[in-house]
Amino acid sequence: MEQHEDEVFTDLVASAVHDLKNSLALVLNAAEQITDLGAAPPAAQQALLLLQYEARRANADLMGLLGFFKLERGSALVRPAVVDCEDLLAELVAYNTDLLASRGIRLEATECRVEEGYFDRGLVAGVLNAVINNAYRFARSQVTLSCTLEEGYTVFRVLDDGEGYGPKMLSAAPQDPAEHSHRSTGLGLFFARRVAELHQHRDRIGQVVLSNRPGGCFELWLP
Amino acid sequence: MALNLKDFRFLIVDDLRDMRITLRGMLETLKASQFWEAKNCEEALEVLRTQPIDVVLCDYNLGDTRDGQQLFDEARGRGTLVPHAAWIMITAESSMGMVMGVIENNPDGYLVKPINKAVLQTRLERAVARKMIVKDVELAIRNNKFTDAIALADMQIQRYPNAKSELLRLKTEAMLRNAAYPEVVDLCAGLLAERQHEGAETDIPWMLINLGRARYELGDVRQARLTFQKVLDQNPTVMEAYDWLARIEREQGNGKDAQRIISNALGISARSIRRQQSLGDVAVENEDFATAERAYDKAVQLGDDSVFARPDDQVGLVGAVRVTKGSEAALKTMGELVKRASRKRNSKGPHWRVSAMEASMLADAGRHAEATASVERALEAFRDDTSSNAPQVTLELARACFNTGKGDQGRAMVDQLVRENHDRPEVTGAVQQLFQDLGMAEEGASLIEGAQQQIIKINNEGVLLAKAGRYAEAVACLQKAAEDLPNNLTVTLNALQALLMQMQAEGVTNLARYQAREHLNRALKLAPKSDKVAQMKLRLQNLLAAAPKPATG
């Protein structure tokens, strides 16, 4: 019987999160609609942009929470499928361009060397969207995306021209979520590492690599 | 590419009104102007039935017994989608991998929530463009013009190398339907090797699936099984692979394995009506009636208003309940089914098989008046049923007739059944068993004997005529028999044989060609896996290929 209650609880939480995400989607779309009308006074425009940025962040965190919850409950989180990488980059650019442009930041996909990857498209897109959204705070004028094949891994790279990651971020142990909260990625980065690790093929495991070049460089390596 | 969306007809399917409004608002800013909306499967199917929709935007999670996948299957199954219609599935990030794996028949695109205008535009452009490239190939396959489909796919691959993978998938699909199995093995194996050579670590699922299908058709069951297993090792959400593995295990007599495989598949996605049906069928074979009951019950629920619903689901459900909980409970279930059926629009009442089963249970319970009423209902519906039914099914009704004092109807039914299956011992044996149960063994034996002799006589006559070179008479004699007994495989094949001999001797006429194809198609339908039928098919193909093409008209 206990297992049955567990299942009910799982369904309840999953559907509540689903509901919250739908709410956020509507908030985001409403904000975008008002922005598009261009009728709001400049101060209100700023507030709308903040609203969009925060709502996207909340969305990313919810995705992470739901993901951890599912993992905790033992259900499969990562379901890989064949993914058109160029198409994915195009979608990431389309989704984030306007918001970044409002801060004078240009978003570009510079190269895509992988035609078809094999991973969970939804999760990877969610992780990358969160990282790109983050650049809204930290980039100066430019964010570039790329997808390359390195040592047999498909590597997604998000590079900004900001200050780069702080030393604590760069050395943080992957299993410690508290250490990841500096650049307000919080749960996001911790979840990104989990998503990467859950992508396994033969004896190879996916990973997240952070570096400063000199701006922040986020890499997602997928086997 | 700037797409002019003004002339596009959109259908937006989402259970949340605000979400529909938002999507519609976004489409309006992209200059679209023609919209239809649906909040559930039923409404969506109604729109698709009446409107030539160009683009469907469908939320995967519809908060209903059916989700976006069922709606997509249903729309495809009903053939109500126009050939160029693009289907875009909308999902949440966290379930996208799941959805992409589960989804069969590949929709034309995906959208991950949250969606904004820019993403919607990119997706739409891509989906519409993709559809334009593949639609003619898909249409040719839908119309069974497989050689056309293959040629079209080749042409489009030259023109649109970016869509190569998708076009190759459709091409191999057409080749499989065209029975070009060795060619499919070569093509798919080549593609897989090429990918591996390029350093890809995983295979594309459709390449393995189609390779497995071709191997299966060629009789290489062992390799086929390994191939499908490999798909699941790499990606456990490719549902088609479960279906094929289950089919193989079932045919190999490993019913328990088949049942386990289908259960695993249903653990990933429980809403597939066809999978619940196969689980029910295989569980009955395994005499696991509790599982059968659950599976058929789900199939019945999912089958409301579905093209995939079968009378077997209701019959199976009642039959399983009868075994697990007794006749009283089964009659109660039956009552619920009848009530459920009468609630549906255009309800034609319960299927005759359900009524026949009801009649035998009522007769068993000594409720003769009710049993007779059920048999009458069943007989009425049986007369209108033009679909071919398994012999056991007709026997059920015959048994009910005998049990309710309608021996004449029962006898007529059994007589026809024996004449249609005069040389199939499993059928004549079942008929003999029925008469034995009724304490009428002798009458049964003479009825079977008489019906068999009658067919054998006609057959022999036709065969003798043909051997004597009197082809026209032979054809006439055997065709007459084949028309009277459309479900008799031997008679159908003999008629075809006579036609082949006639064409060989006297040349190919349009009429003979047409009639021969008719007989062959019927034989293929009656016995799709028969070697004899396959040989006849080959002979007909060779003969027609060698013959000069007759003038048309």
Side-chain angles (χ1 to χ4, degrees):
Chain A
M1 233 45 260
E2 195 174 320
Q3 195 185 356
H4 179 67
E5 274 169 31
D6 254 22
E7 271 170 34
V8 171
F9 183 63
T10 305
D11 283 355
L12 202 72
V13 172
S15 79
V17 172
H18 185 75
D19 218 39
L20 277 170
K21 282 173 60 65
N22 272 339
S23 268
L24 274 179
L26 289 169
V27 169
L28 274 167
N29 291 133
E32 194 189 48
Q33 243 176 327
I34 303 173
T35 314
D36 276 2
L37 290 174
Q45 285 287 358
Q46 280 311 305
L48 279 170
L49 292 169
L50 182 70
L51 183 67
Q52 284 191 55
Y53 166 74
E54 289 296 338
R56 285 179 186 208
R57 233 162 54 77
N59 180 73
D61 280 353
L62 273 175
M63 181 185 72
L65 268 181
L66 183 61
F68 281 121
F69 182 73
K70 281 184 171 172
L71 281 178
E72 188 78 4
R73 298 271 147 175
S75 53
L77 181 65
V78 170
R79 299 201 187 264
V82 176
V83 179
D84 179 338
C85 295
E86 204 175 325
D87 180 61
L88 174 57
L89 289 185
E91 185 176 297
L92 292 169
V93 170
Y95 185 66
N96 294 287
T97 293
D98 286 355
L99 186 60
L100 290 177
S102 70
R103 282 228 165 163
I105 301 165
R106 236 161 65 91
L107 173 65
E108 251 188 330
T110 49
E111 65 172 327
C112 181
R113 291 288 173 83
V114 185
E115 225 174 276
E116 277 170 331
Y118 192 75
F119 48 84
D120 188 315
R121 190 187 197 280
L123 288 177
V124 168
V127 163
L128 292 173
N129 265 328
V131 176
I132 299 167
N133 194 45
N134 221 30
Y136 178 80
R137 277 266 168 94
F138 298 98
R140 282 201 191 92
S141 64
Q142 177 86 22
V143 177
T144 53
L145 310 179
S146 64
C147 173
T148 49
L149 195 64
E150 289 169 41
E151 297 163 36
Y153 287 78
T154 299
V155 183
F156 286 96
R157 192 171 280 117
V158 183
L159 183 65
D160 69 44
D161 59 354
E163 298 273 304
Y165 293 97
K168 262 193 166 171
M169 278 288 275
L170 292 174
S171 61
Q175 61 275 13
D176 185 359
E179 290 302 318
H180 289 110
S181 56
H182 297 276
R183 231 177 97 148
S184 55
T185 28
L187 178 74
L189 185 54
F190 189 60
F191 184 62
R193 290 199 195 277
R194 286 298 288 162
V195 167
E197 280 163 15
L198 287 166
H199 279 89
Q200 302 190 359
H201 186 69
R202 309 236 165 102
D203 49 351
R204 306 206 287 190
I205 298 178
Q207 56 177 321
V208 167
V209 179
L210 300 181
S211 59
N212 289 333
R213 318 184 161 183
C217 177
F218 172 97
E219 292 171 352
L220 180 62
W221 288 61
L222 301 169
Chain B
M1 176 186 60
L3 202 61
N4 185 2
L5 297 179
K6 200 163 66 60
D7 301 324
F8 279 62
R9 294 156 167 265
F10 286 92
L11 169 61
I12 302 167
V13 192
D14 200 311
D15 54 330
L16 300 175
R17 181 171 161 274
D18 289 333
M19 212 56 103
R20 295 198 300 273
I21 293 174
T22 301
L23 274 170
R24 186 179 167 143
M26 278 192 238
L27 286 168
E28 274 169 345
T29 62
L30 296 171
K31 305 276 181 282
S33 62
Q34 303 181 62
F35 306 99
W36 282 261
E37 291 180 22
K39 64 172 179 298
N40 56 33
C41 283
E42 199 184 339
E43 287 183 10
L45 288 167
E46 186 54 25
V47 173
L48 289 169
R49 195 177 64 79
T50 51
Q51 298 294 333
I53 294 295
D54 302 301
V55 178
V56 182
L57 291 169
C58 175
D59 193 30
Y60 182 78
N61 190 340
L62 293 173
D64 195 0
T65 40
R66 290 185 283 183
D67 57 32
Q69 169 69 40
Q70 270 78 50
L71 177 56
F72 185 45
D73 280 351
E74 200 67 38
R76 297 264 301 218
R78 294 182 184 200
T80 46
L81 286 174
V82 296
H84 66 267
W87 192 290
I88 299 177
M89 206 67 91
I90 303 175
T91 78
E93 298 118 329
S94 51
S95 52
M96 180 164 195
M98 164 96 192
V99 170
M100 278 181 80
V102 170
I103 280 175
E104 294 133 277
N105 290 329
N106 300 32
D108 305 289
Y110 303 90
L111 272 167
V112 187
K113 285 194 228 177
I115 303 155
N116 68 0
K117 200 178 68 188
V119 171
L120 179 62
Q121 184 171 11
T122 341
R123 279 282 142 255
L124 271 176
E125 284 171 357
R126 209 180 160 93
V128 170
R130 173 200 172 273
K131 199 66 195 186
M132 288 300 156
I133 294 171
V134 301
K135 70 164 189 201
D136 290 338
V137 185
E138 285 182 346
L139 186 64
I141 294 178
R142 216 208 265 184
N143 292 335
N144 296 331
K145 293 185 171 162
F146 304 123
T147 26
D148 291 0
I150 294 165
L152 280 167
D154 282 334
M155 201 177 81
Q156 294 297 70
I157 290 168
Q158 293 298 317
R159 238 193 263 171
Y160 304 101
N162 277 341
K164 191 174 163 195
S165 176
E166 181 61 15
L167 287 162
L168 281 171
R169 185 181 72 78
L170 290 168
K171 179 183 172 177
T172 50
E173 179 66 39
M175 289 164 77
L176 282 165
R177 306 266 194 104
N178 209 27
Y181 308 124
E183 291 84 348
V184 174
V185 170
D186 288 347
L187 182 54
C188 288
L191 289 168
L192 288 163
E194 197 181 311
R195 238 182 97 75
Q196 218 157 48
H197 184 73
E198 284 167 3
E201 296 262 346
T202 45
D203 301 312
I204 308 254
W206 73 254
M207 293 178 186
L208 281 174
I209 294 266
N210 287 354
L211 175 64
R213 284 168 67 187
R215 282 175 168 163
Y216 169 84
E217 296 293 348
L218 289 167
D220 192 351
V221 175
R222 205 180 63 86
Q223 280 299 324
R225 187 194 265 138
L226 288 174
T227 311
F228 293 126
Q229 192 55 57
K230 191 169 175 193
V231 178
L232 292 185
D233 290 345
Q234 293 183 4
N235 187 344
T237 60
V238 181
M239 307 312 284
E240 243 182 306
Y242 292 94
D243 298 339
W244 280 100
L245 277 174
R247 179 167 165 182
I248 288 175
E249 296 305 347
R250 196 173 165 194
E251 284 174 5
Q252 297 292 307
N254 308 323
K256 289 258 154 41
D257 291 326
Q259 184 172 333
R260 182 180 43 76
I261 291 164
I262 303 170
S263 297
N264 287 345
L266 283 167
I268 295 171
S269 157
R271 288 180 170 140
S272 156
I273 173 167
R274 280 175 291 176
R275 229 158 266 132
Q276 295 287 2
Q277 291 167 336
S278 357
L279 179 61
D281 296 348
V282 85
V284 166
E285 285 169 18
N286 292 337
E287 298 184 7
D288 177 357
F289 293 100
T291 302
E293 182 189 335
R294 276 198 303 276
Y296 284 133
D297 189 44
K298 290 228 176 71
V300 168
Q301 286 175 34
L302 292 165
D304 258 350
D305 194 32
S306 165
V307 286
F308 303 114
R310 315 173 302 177
D312 307 61
D313 306 334
Q314 303 184 8
V315 176
L317 173 59
V318 176
V321 172
R322 196 181 185 180
V323 177
T324 53
K325 303 193 180 102
S327 277
E328 274 309 309
L331 278 168
K332 209 173 133 215
T333 306
M334 177 99 55
E336 282 157 17
L337 288 178
V338 172
K339 232 192 281 168
R340 192 183 179 96
S342 65
R343 275 203 305 270
K344 275 199 279 184
R345 273 181 304 164
N346 320 322
S347 163
K348 283 179 265 161
H351 193 267
W352 63 263
R353 290 186 54 195
V354 178
S355 302
M357 192 171 204
E358 185 179 42
S360 6
M361 287 191 301
L362 287 165
D364 284 354
R367 292 153 69 176
H368 294 292
E370 292 163 83
T372 309
S374 296
V375 168
E376 270 157 17
R377 259 207 311 277
L379 283 170
E380 197 175 315
F382 177 70
R383 274 191 288 273
D384 298 337
D385 184 9
T386 50
S387 56
S388 74
N389 285 288
Q392 297 86 320
V393 176
T394 312
L395 267 182
E396 260 172 54
L397 181 54
R399 185 184 290 269
C401 286
F402 281 111
N403 279 336
T404 52
K406 294 185 180 304
D408 289 348
Q409 274 110 322
R411 252 175 230 107
M413 219 173 265
V414 172
D415 185 54
Q416 176 77 8
L417 192 65
V418 174
R419 293 200 298 135
E420 286 186 336
N421 300 281
H422 74 283
D423 53 358
R424 292 175 63 191
E426 74 274 21
V427 176
T428 51
V431 171
Q432 186 61 53
Q433 184 64 46
L434 168 65
F435 279 96
Q436 206 158 337
D437 294 348
L438 296 166
M440 296 154 58
E442 258 174 55
E443 187 188 338
S446 82
L447 183 145
I448 293 169
E449 173 85 16
Q452 279 176 327
Q453 287 309 321
Q454 196 191 345
I455 307 304
I456 291 168
K457 186 165 160 272
I458 300 172
N459 241 337
N460 289 348
E461 223 174 278
V463 172
L464 281 175
L465 285 166
K467 279 191 178 148
R470 292 156 70 181
Y471 300 115
E473 288 164 75
V475 167
C477 166
L478 289 166
Q479 293 231 97
K480 169 87 178 45
E483 270 159 39
D484 289 345
L485 302 167
N487 295 322
N488 190 310
L489 179 64
T490 310
V491 171
T492 303
L493 284 178
N494 281 340
L496 175 57
Q497 169 93 1
L499 276 163
L500 285 171
M501 290 167 81
Q502 184 185 29
M503 286 192 279
Q504 196 117 45
E506 298 170 0
V508 176
T509 63
N510 272 341
L511 180 66
R513 174 205 296 265
Y514 171 77
Q515 288 174 331
R517 285 235 168 90
E518 286 266 281
H519 290 310
L520 179 66
N521 286 338
R522 186 175 297 279
L524 279 168
K525 218 171 137 190
L526 288 171
K529 299 223 90 83
S530 145
D531 287 342
K532 208 166 163 192
V533 178
Q535 279 167 19
M536 289 288 236
K537 180 177 175 185
L538 200 65
R539 275 186 59 192
L540 178 64
Q541 277 170 348
N542 291 340
L543 195 131
L544 294 180
K549 216 178 161 66
T552 45

